[in-house]
Amino acid sequence: GENVEQHPSTLSVQEGDSAVIKCTYSDSASNYFPWYKQELGKRPQLIIDIRSNVGEKKDQRIAVTLNKTAKHFSLHITETQPEDSAVYFCAARGTGGFKTIFGAGTRLFVKA
Amino acid sequence: DVKVTQSSRYLVKRTGEKVFLECVQDMDHENMFWYRQDPGLGLRLIYFSYDVKMKEKGDIPEGYSVSREKKERFSLILESASTNQTSMYLCASRASGGAKDTQYFGPGTRLTVL
């Protein structure tokens, strides 16, 4: 069945460094790839998304890249800050699909 | 601003009890979802609904049922709660079609089954 794998499961970086989280998906029909951030005790919230017709998207310190051929997509956070500490989930969904398949999550720690 | 609410933040039940988790959204979204979240397993889809009275099984429907009698409300039912259903339950909603792909989550219900 459809699957999204996410790595690493835990990531610790120093404040100001960059953080990269990588995901792979199995369903080649997937064309929408959102990223959610879940702070401790709070609900997941969409932080950025990308569609299959683009290879990269940026929003301030956050960027997402997509390689459709390899079925890889990644989240890049530059100049990390302590408030970036959270669990990040990648996800994938296909055209007309109801189901969004989530990765297992990455717990990011940003050390001050 | 989309608002998705869940009836309880914390719930403690006993094995064998029938449990109802309620979710309400105020944005007239067609699609609603129930997930459970467990450490290391991410968000796993239990059931979803794309219209009133319509429901589809997700990846882990066993031991659960759902009800959608009104568009804004989606209920998750544990017919006979078991300890392995102790988890965080998240409801979500999403509009249908086009660029309206964002899925909005509720605050979650942490259920403990003793």
Side-chain angles (χ1 to χ4, degrees):
Chain A
E2 302 126 336
N3 185 47
V4 173
E5 293 194 0
Q6 183 172 347
H7 300 280
S9 56
T10 306
L11 180 59
S12 184
V13 300
Q14 203 67 38
E15 183 178 1
D17 288 349
S18 295
V20 181
I21 302 170
K22 298 182 178 182
C23 292
T24 60
Y25 60 98
S26 60
D27 185 359
S28 56
S30 297
N31 65 348
Y32 175 66
F33 306 91
W35 286 86
Y36 288 83
K37 175 183 180 182
Q38 186 178 29
E39 296 177 31
L40 190 63
K42 296 189 176 180
R43 70 190 77 192
Q45 292 196 302
L46 182 75
I47 55 171
I48 195 168
D49 56 13
I50 190 168
R51 299 180 192 285
S52 58
N53 57 347
V54 297
E56 184 175 2
K57 183 177 179 180
K58 286 184 180 180
D59 183 3
Q60 299 182 348
R61 297 187 295 109
I62 294 173
V64 58
T65 58
L66 172 65
N67 182 331
K68 280 204 71 179
T69 304
K71 293 192 278 188
H72 289 171
F73 58 115
S74 300
L75 179 72
H76 304 251
I77 306 174
T78 58
E79 300 172 22
T80 53
Q81 300 166 5
E83 51 265 38
D84 294 329
S85 296
V87 177
Y88 292 81
F89 293 98
C90 64
R93 187 166 76 241
T95 303
F98 293 105
K99 292 172 60 175
T100 300
I101 309 299
F102 286 85
T106 295
R107 185 173 294 277
L108 174 65
F109 296 96
V110 180
K111 295 176 286 186
Chain B
D1 194 24
V2 177
K3 193 170 183 181
V4 181
T5 58
Q6 295 182 228
S7 50
S8 305
R9 290 301 304 272
Y10 300 94
L11 210 51
V12 179
K13 295 291 182 181
R14 296 209 173 271
T15 301
E17 280 193 84
K18 190 168 186 176
V19 182
F20 293 87
L21 303 182
E22 302 283 337
C23 175
V24 177
Q25 49 93 6
D26 66 356
M27 282 302 291
D28 202 37
H29 285 170
E30 294 83 3
N31 305 302
M32 296 187 74
F33 308 83
W34 274 106
Y35 295 89
R36 65 177 281 176
Q37 182 177 14
D38 300 287
L41 297 177
L43 299 167
R44 293 182 293 165
L45 183 64
I46 304 171
Y47 267 96
F48 66 97
S49 169
Y50 53 88
D51 202 351
V52 176
K53 296 192 184 294
M54 305 305 290
K55 59 185 178 185
E56 293 285 342
K57 292 180 180 179
D59 300 316
I60 51 165
E62 297 79 18
Y64 304 94
S65 63
V66 290
S67 172
R68 190 149 180 220
E69 296 297 316
K70 294 184 178 181
K71 192 174 186 179
E72 67 270 19
R73 188 181 298 270
F74 191 35
S75 302
L76 180 69
I77 303 154
L78 286 67
E79 295 290 342
S80 178
S82 63
T83 54
N84 62 10
Q85 292 178 309
T86 292
S87 187
M88 170 68 83
Y89 290 87
L90 287 164
C91 174
S93 75
R94 175 169 62 86
S96 282
K100 302 172 187 175
D101 284 304
T102 303
Q103 197 158 283
Y104 296 90
F105 285 90
T109 296
R110 185 164 293 282
L111 173 66
T112 301
V113 183
L114 303 175

